[in-house]
Amino acid sequence: MYKLLKKWKNAKIRTQIILTYIAVLLLSFIMTFTLISAVNGRYTKIEVGKAGVQTVNALQGNLALIFDNVTQFSTQIYFDDIVQDSLRQINSENINLNYQKNITKSLFNMILSGDYISGVYIFDKYDNCYNSYRKTPRKIDKNIRKTNWYRKMEKANGNGFFYKGSDGTIDYYQNNNYLCYVRQIVDKNNYKPLATLLITLDPNVLQGYFNQVSDDKNQFYIVDSKGEFVVEPENKQENFVKYTKDTKRMSQGFEEVKTSKGKCIAVGHSMGIQDWKIIGTFSLDEISSLTPYYSTVIIIIMCLNI
């Protein structure tokens, strides 16, 4: 350090001015780069966050429409006079072909109402099953009273709700990661229990909504308050799993999340069903792609200073 100071004192005034100018120029370079990076980084996060919120809100709206339709269809089955009359007259474990034909016809009409419905199943008080389906089940377990969803339905006084899977009641050949809607059907005249309605939703159709806005950098999925997947992302990445465990603290807005592969913006929105929440994650890698832009701006500033 002493030698440098000695050389500085012995240097010509012109040399000192040039060195001072170079130092100021380097300081200007560093400050400019830092300022532009900070401003652009914050701007990018805000813009990605806003776009993410709009995307997740749109997805939530589309899925909510499906869930609302399923609920309405279940109500139509519930109040269907043919279904009510048929279930009311069943008085043995033996299936009456006429009753089966009448019930199945009503269920078939429901299947035609939406491609997101895989199957519709009615279990009467004798555990007989009447069904119509778009996707053929491998097995139907009629012992529904042992399932968690049935016990939950009893606690809910027969009111309908959505549920992940069916605890093995309906087993499909492929992809059993489906959602279902269950409710009790009671006699609309005296409110005595008649049967149980179970509707399965096609997971491929639900995933299709995610795929329309997903790519390698974006992920969409539904989780519960425990951070467990209700609907998994198609390309599940472990670096997002940790974040799902913190969904309780997520607001309706967005926030930055650090992952093993970098930073991303996470957006959460309540589904209005159970404690489920739809989450979208959006990569912030595009910030690094602006490096050439930074360099160009800095070079221009340096030229102006010269």
Side-chain angles (χ1 to χ4, degrees):
M1 180 63 72
Y2 175 76
K3 292 182 178 180
L4 290 175
L5 291 175
K6 187 176 181 181
K7 289 182 177 181
W8 171 262
K9 291 180 180 180
N10 295 332
K12 297 181 180 180
I13 295 177
R14 181 183 177 186
T15 302
Q16 291 180 348
I17 293 174
I18 293 175
L19 291 175
T20 301
Y21 184 79
I22 292 175
V24 171
L25 197 61
L26 289 175
L27 180 62
S28 174
F29 173 89
I30 295 172
M31 292 180 64
T32 302
F33 182 86
T34 303
L35 179 61
I36 293 177
S37 298
V39 172
N40 183 76
R42 179 172 177 78
Y43 175 79
T44 302
K45 292 174 186 176
I46 293 175
E47 291 303 309
V48 171
K50 289 180 179 179
V53 169
Q54 293 178 353
T55 302
V56 171
N57 287 349
L59 275 176
Q60 190 275 336
N62 291 334
L63 294 177
L65 182 61
I66 291 179
F67 294 137
D68 287 343
N69 287 341
V70 171
T71 303
Q72 292 177 14
F73 291 152
S74 74
T75 301
Q76 293 176 12
I77 293 294
Y78 182 99
F79 287 104
D80 188 287
D81 290 333
I82 296 176
V83 173
Q84 283 273 329
D85 292 340
S86 299
L87 292 174
R88 194 180 293 120
Q89 296 179 59
I90 295 174
N91 54 13
S92 71
E93 296 181 0
N94 298 321
I95 295 180
N96 183 293
L97 295 180
N98 289 327
Y99 300 155
Q100 182 183 36
K101 180 180 178 181
N102 293 335
I103 295 174
T104 302
K105 183 178 179 180
S106 295
L107 299 184
F108 179 74
N109 291 333
M110 184 175 182
I111 287 290
L112 297 177
S113 300
D115 60 353
Y116 41 80
I117 298 177
S118 294
V120 187
Y121 307 84
I122 288 181
F123 299 87
D124 66 22
K125 55 188 175 183
Y126 297 102
D127 293 336
N128 295 316
C129 181
Y130 310 87
N131 54 71
S132 182
Y133 43 76
R134 189 187 304 273
K135 185 177 178 181
T136 305
R138 185 178 68 85
K139 183 183 68 174
I140 300 176
D141 187 352
K142 299 179 182 180
N143 190 11
I144 61 175
R145 289 170 177 77
K146 68 177 182 180
T147 62
N148 290 328
W149 64 261
Y150 187 86
R151 289 190 289 269
K152 184 176 180 180
M153 184 187 69
E154 287 184 317
K155 291 181 180 179
N157 297 319
N159 293 321
F161 57 87
F162 287 92
Y163 190 83
K164 180 183 178 181
S166 63
D167 299 329
T169 301
I170 309 299
D171 183 21
Y172 290 106
Y173 287 95
Q174 293 179 339
N175 197 351
N176 280 296
N177 296 320
Y178 59 83
L179 305 181
C180 74
Y181 182 81
V182 297
R183 71 178 297 175
Q184 189 177 61
I185 298 177
V186 301
D187 191 322
K188 60 184 180 182
N189 296 325
N190 55 27
Y191 301 103
K192 291 183 178 181
L194 293 176
T196 299
L197 173 65
L198 187 151
I199 304 170
T200 59
L201 280 66
D202 189 341
N204 295 324
V205 174
L206 297 181
Q207 189 61 243
Y209 282 92
F210 292 165
N211 293 343
Q212 291 177 6
V213 291
S214 297
D215 54 35
D216 295 337
K217 295 183 179 181
N218 302 334
Q219 293 284 329
F220 299 91
Y221 44 87
I222 299 175
V223 294
D224 59 22
S225 59
K226 296 180 181 178
E228 298 178 354
F229 285 117
V230 176
V231 176
E232 297 183 359
E234 187 174 34
N235 300 314
K236 185 168 62 175
Q237 299 183 31
E238 185 179 357
N239 50 311
F240 292 141
V241 174
K242 295 180 181 179
Y243 182 71
T244 62
K245 297 185 181 300
D246 298 325
T247 55
K248 287 184 177 180
R249 66 181 175 83
M250 177 180 275
S251 64
Q252 294 289 88
F254 61 89
E255 57 183 86
E256 182 180 333
V257 181
K258 293 182 179 180
T259 71
S260 60
K261 295 185 178 180
K263 297 180 180 180
C264 69
I265 291 295
V267 180
H269 196 298
S270 173
M271 290 295 299
I273 298 172
Q274 307 282 14
D275 57 351
W276 299 352
K277 182 171 291 186
I278 182 173
I279 292 180
T281 54
F282 305 85
S283 175
L284 285 174
D285 291 342
E286 49 272 289
I287 291 180
S288 60
S289 66
L290 292 175
T291 300
Y293 167 76
Y294 294 155
S295 302
T296 302
V297 172
I298 291 169
I299 290 174
I300 292 175
I301 294 175
M302 290 178 67
C303 292
L304 290 176
N305 288 334
I306 293 175

